[in-house]
């Protein structure tokens, strides 16, 4: 493991709290711009993260963790690398460790959510549900502290009694965590209930590690100077801000709050620059507008169905057009460079053609891969071997098929591994002058056609025998030796 020398310090910090749907990259960057020392991402569930692939996005200059459906689950960039804490929802120590290892080189710290009372978190035993299982808390945190080199923290709510709360935080401290964030409310309490500053203070006095006070947005934190007042009232080491920062991220600005119009425009610029999904951008802007949603601008925002329409509503149309054009030009340049590198790569022995597989051009259950496999069996050759890679830039695929020590591939990249392999098979078949099984091709895979005819005839004969008096008992058909009796390859 490589240790990051710039380890997070949790003493005397002002921190953007983890907020679902709010703590995405644009909000985190804006909070840093205005003076936040540390920013937490929104809670991300361990099972979902374990399905993701880490992708270097050269167009946006980001690191993306991408789900199988191509949705970006977590996006970060170099600007926040030493400031961002990844908050995870987990109820399993081994899963938590697997996720931490996946992301630890791209973040400054890892936090376990133990305070969220919402059903989406607690129903899997995560969030506030962990508060009733101290053994599991200890196992998760100890496993992470021992397993990664970045600081580990947790965020909790207070328990029904002070004694139970203090016993829990002392047990958490013994796991070796770097800090504890405390939302000073019980799990059944909501923002309208007063925050228990006295309980946070008792926690801070009971442990030797930094305590981060959270929950003061409603009654205590209105301007920057309130952050220090809240810290002193709770005797905490640092202060974590959620809703006050969601409403106006310039709460972290020592010089005072900035006008909301300016804040929203700067947020939109980050959202466009980093390709934030418009629905998330719209949601965050609505939280900022609050009571102004019924104004003409608020109504335009509410009606917006794209990032471009959001920009139009905030007089950023020219910025949007310029930024999108710059990103498109950068993508085109990178793609051309990648193509040139690909063409010049050490694959001079690979036979290439610019072809793509279109399943509409083939009969059902007939594919180029099937035709190539049948030909190899007929010629008593080794089965085709496919090697497929994904290009990080655009996440497209390219496959090279090896047949009889010769390599073949399409010069075109495809959107899936299966399509890329079929395209490689087409190149091989065409290079060898073999039928590829297309509709209307008189020469399409005679062996496959012959085999299917033989199978149909065998079934027909057996059905006829069963229909005769004293006919032979039903048996499974005996297929031609050496043929593939399993289900055919599908595109």
């Amino acid at each position: 493991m490589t240790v990051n020398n710039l380890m997070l310090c949790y003493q005397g910090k002002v921190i953007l709290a983890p907020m679902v749907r709010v703590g995405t990259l644009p909000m985190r960057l804006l909070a840093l711009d205005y003076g936040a020392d540390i920013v937490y991402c929104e809670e991300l569930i361990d099972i979902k993260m374990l399905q993701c692939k880490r992708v270097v996005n050269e167009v946006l200059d980001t690191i993306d963790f991408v789900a199988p459906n191509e949705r970006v689950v977590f996006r970060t960039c170099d600007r926040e690398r030493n400031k961002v804490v990844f908050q995870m929802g987990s109820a399993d120590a081994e899963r938590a460790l697997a996720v931490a290892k996946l992301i630890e080189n791209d973040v400054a710290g890892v936090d376990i959510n133990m305070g969220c009372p919402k059903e989406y978190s607690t129903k899997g035993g995560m969030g506030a549900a962990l508060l009733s299982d101290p053994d599991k808390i200890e196992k998760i945190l100890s496993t992470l502290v021992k397993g990664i080199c970045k600081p580990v923290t947790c965020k909790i709510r207070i328990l029904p009694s002070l004694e139970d709360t203090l016993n829990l935080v002392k047990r958490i401290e013994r796991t070796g965590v770097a800090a504890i964030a405390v939302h000073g409310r019980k799990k059944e309490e909501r923002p309208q209930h007063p925050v228990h500053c006295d309980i946070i203070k008792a926690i801070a006095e009971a442990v030797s590690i930094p305590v981060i006070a959270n929950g003061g947005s409603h009654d205590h934190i209105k301007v920057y100077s309130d952050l220090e007042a809240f810290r002193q009232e709770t005797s905490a080491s640092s202060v974590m801000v959620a809703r006050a920062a969601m409403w106006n991220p310039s709460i972290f600005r020592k010089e005072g709050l900035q006008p909301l119009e300016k804040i929203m425009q700067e947020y939109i610029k980050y959202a466009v620059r980093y390709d934030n999904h418009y629905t998330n951008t719209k949601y965050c802007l609505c939280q900022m507008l609050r009571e102004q949603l019924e104004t003409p601008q608020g109504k335009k925002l509410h009606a917006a169905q794209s990032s471009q329409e959001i920009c139009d509503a905030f007089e950023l149309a020219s910025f949007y057009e310029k930024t999108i054009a710059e990103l498109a030009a950068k993508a085109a340049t990178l793609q051309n460079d990648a193509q040139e590198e690909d063409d010049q790569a050490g694959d001079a022995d690979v036979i290439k053609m610019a072809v793509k597989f279109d399943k509409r051009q083939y009969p059902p259950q007939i594919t180029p891969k099937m035709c190539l496999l049948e030909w190899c069996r007929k010629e008593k050759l080794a089965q085709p071997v496919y090697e497929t890679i994904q290009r990080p830039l655009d996440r497209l695929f390219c496959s090279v098929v090896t047949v009889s020590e010769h390599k073949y591939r399409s010069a075109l990249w495809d959107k899936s591994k299966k399509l890329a392999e079929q395209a490689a098979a087409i190149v091989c078949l065409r290079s060898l002058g073999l039928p590829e099984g297309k509709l209307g091709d008189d020469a399409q895979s005679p062996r496959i056609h012959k085999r299917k005819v033989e199978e149909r005839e065998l079934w027909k004969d057996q059905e006829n025998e069963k229909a005769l008096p004293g006919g032979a008992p039903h048996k499974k058909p005996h297929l031609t030796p050496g043929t593939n009796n399993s289900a055919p390859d599908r595109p």
Side-chain angles (χ1 to χ4, degrees):
M1 292 186 291
T2 302
V3 177
N4 183 356
N5 292 324
L6 298 173
M7 298 292 282
L8 275 185
C9 170
Y10 291 93
Q11 293 278 5
K13 305 300 181 184
V14 289
I15 302 168
L16 177 70
M19 291 178 280
V20 173
R21 298 184 69 186
V22 175
T24 48
L25 184 58
M27 180 62 79
R28 300 197 304 266
L29 293 177
L30 196 56
L32 289 173
D33 287 348
Y34 282 118
D37 299 303
I38 300 170
V39 290
Y40 280 55
C41 75
E42 60 178 333
E43 177 196 24
L44 296 170
I45 307 303
D46 55 4
I47 295 175
K48 184 180 294 185
M49 282 299 299
L50 288 175
Q51 298 171 351
C52 292
K53 175 186 279 190
R54 181 184 185 274
V55 176
V56 178
N57 189 325
E58 294 180 294
V59 176
L60 300 179
D61 294 320
T62 59
I63 301 297
D64 298 344
F65 291 85
V66 185
N69 64 359
E70 298 298 306
R71 176 175 169 265
V72 177
V73 175
F74 176 59
R75 171 169 285 161
T76 185
C77 66
D78 193 60
R79 163 84 171 86
E80 66 169 5
R81 184 175 181 182
N82 297 315
K83 304 283 188 178
V84 64
V85 174
F86 182 91
Q87 192 190 60
M88 186 193 323
S90 181
D92 181 87
E94 294 308 315
R95 283 203 306 267
L97 180 59
V99 174
K101 286 182 174 294
L102 177 67
I103 53 87
E104 72 169 318
N105 290 328
D106 299 305
V107 299
V110 174
D111 182 84
I112 296 295
N113 180 357
M114 299 181 179
C116 181
K118 299 295 180 65
E119 183 184 357
Y120 64 79
S121 187
T122 59
K123 67 182 179 183
M126 301 176 290
L130 285 170
L131 296 175
S132 59
D133 195 343
D135 291 340
K136 185 176 287 186
I137 287 177
E138 183 176 348
K139 184 175 182 181
I140 292 172
L141 295 177
S142 297
T143 299
L144 288 175
V145 170
K146 294 172 184 175
I148 64 173
C149 58
K150 296 296 174 67
V152 176
T153 58
C154 66
K155 184 171 183 284
I156 68 169
R157 284 189 174 230
I158 61 176
L159 298 178
S161 77
L162 175 59
E163 182 181 2
D164 289 342
T165 302
L166 295 181
N167 287 338
L168 176 63
V169 295
K170 289 175 182 178
R171 191 168 180 180
I172 289 173
E173 180 182 25
R174 288 195 293 270
T175 66
V177 295
I180 303 174
V182 180
H183 185 147
R185 293 184 178 88
K186 300 169 188 176
K187 66 179 180 180
E188 64 273 10
E189 292 180 328
R190 294 297 176 263
Q192 63 268 26
H193 295 102
V195 62
H196 300 277
C197 293
D198 56 331
I199 305 295
I200 301 177
K201 183 175 182 179
I203 293 171
E205 292 172 349
V207 297
S208 59
I209 59 175
V211 170
I212 305 166
N214 174 234
S217 290
H218 191 268
D219 298 321
H220 295 263
I221 300 172
K222 303 286 193 302
V223 295
Y224 178 81
S225 58
D226 294 336
L227 298 173
E228 177 59 19
F230 184 58
R231 189 193 69 77
Q232 290 187 15
E233 185 172 354
T234 58
S235 296
S237 300
S238 297
V239 172
M240 176 180 280
V241 189
R243 286 167 302 124
M246 175 179 70
W247 297 328
N248 191 326
S250 65
I251 190 71
F252 297 110
R253 185 173 180 264
K254 294 179 181 179
E255 297 80 9
L257 293 171
Q258 291 282 68
L260 191 59
E261 180 76 14
K262 180 179 188 312
I263 297 294
M264 291 190 294
Q265 286 189 338
E266 291 180 354
Y267 174 83
I268 292 169
K269 288 179 180 179
Y270 272 133
V272 173
R273 168 67 182 82
Y274 288 102
D275 193 26
N276 200 50
H277 196 279
Y278 88 90
T279 56
N280 181 254
T281 302
K282 182 176 175 178
Y283 175 83
C284 291
L285 292 170
C286 286
Q287 306 312 305
M288 296 181 198
L289 274 177
R290 299 165 73 195
E291 65 273 4
Q292 299 180 43
L293 282 171
E294 293 304 315
T295 63
Q297 187 175 60
K299 290 179 179 178
K300 285 183 180 179
L301 172 63
H302 185 71
Q305 295 299 311
S306 67
S307 293
Q308 184 172 11
E309 290 180 9
I310 292 173
C311 287
D312 291 342
F314 287 84
E315 300 180 355
L316 290 171
S318 59
F319 169 83
Y320 176 84
E321 293 172 2
K322 179 183 178 183
T323 303
I324 294 301
E326 288 174 350
L327 291 175
K330 185 176 181 181
T333 300
L334 288 168
Q335 192 157 347
N336 289 337
D337 291 346
Q339 189 65 53
E340 289 179 9
E341 289 179 12
D342 181 56
D343 293 340
Q344 296 170 5
D347 60 355
D349 58 333
V350 179
I351 298 171
K352 302 177 189 176
M353 292 183 190
V355 299
K356 280 183 175 284
F357 170 70
D358 184 350
K359 66 179 180 181
R360 295 171 297 182
Q361 298 178 356
Y362 295 81
Q365 301 185 13
I366 299 291
T367 67
K369 282 183 68 177
M370 176 189 288
C371 295
L372 182 57
L373 178 61
E374 290 289 343
W375 180 80
C376 287
R377 285 174 171 168
K378 178 183 176 183
E379 298 298 318
K380 295 182 171 53
L381 299 174
Q383 288 192 9
V385 176
Y386 295 87
E387 297 176 77
T388 306
I389 60 170
Q390 185 179 29
R391 189 164 59 191
L393 172 63
D394 48 20
R395 301 201 286 274
L396 295 179
F397 293 84
C398 175
S399 186
V400 176
V401 62
T402 302
V403 175
S404 190
E405 299 184 0
H406 290 85
K407 297 180 183 294
Y408 307 85
R409 56 157 284 197
S410 173
L412 305 177
W413 291 65
D414 264 300
K415 62 183 180 181
S416 78
K417 178 175 180 288
K418 289 182 178 180
L419 291 175
E421 289 178 351
Q422 296 290 1
I426 292 173
V427 175
C428 179
L429 291 166
R430 291 185 184 178
S431 299
L432 298 174
L434 300 172
E436 57 191 83
K438 293 177 72 172
L439 286 167
D441 185 352
D442 293 336
Q444 65 170 278
S445 195
R447 183 173 175 81
I448 294 173
H449 177 71
K450 179 182 177 183
R451 190 186 77 192
K452 290 186 177 292
V453 170
E454 289 175 348
E455 290 176 11
R456 285 197 297 269
E457 291 300 324
L458 282 167
W459 279 108
K460 189 183 296 183
D461 290 346
Q462 290 180 350
E463 291 301 315
N464 289 338
E465 287 178 6
K466 286 174 63 180
L468 293 173
H474 177 67
K475 294 182 181 178
K476 292 183 179 179
H478 177 71
L479 303 183
T480 307
T483 60
N484 181 7
N485 299 335
S486 59
D489 178 43
R490 295 178 182 273

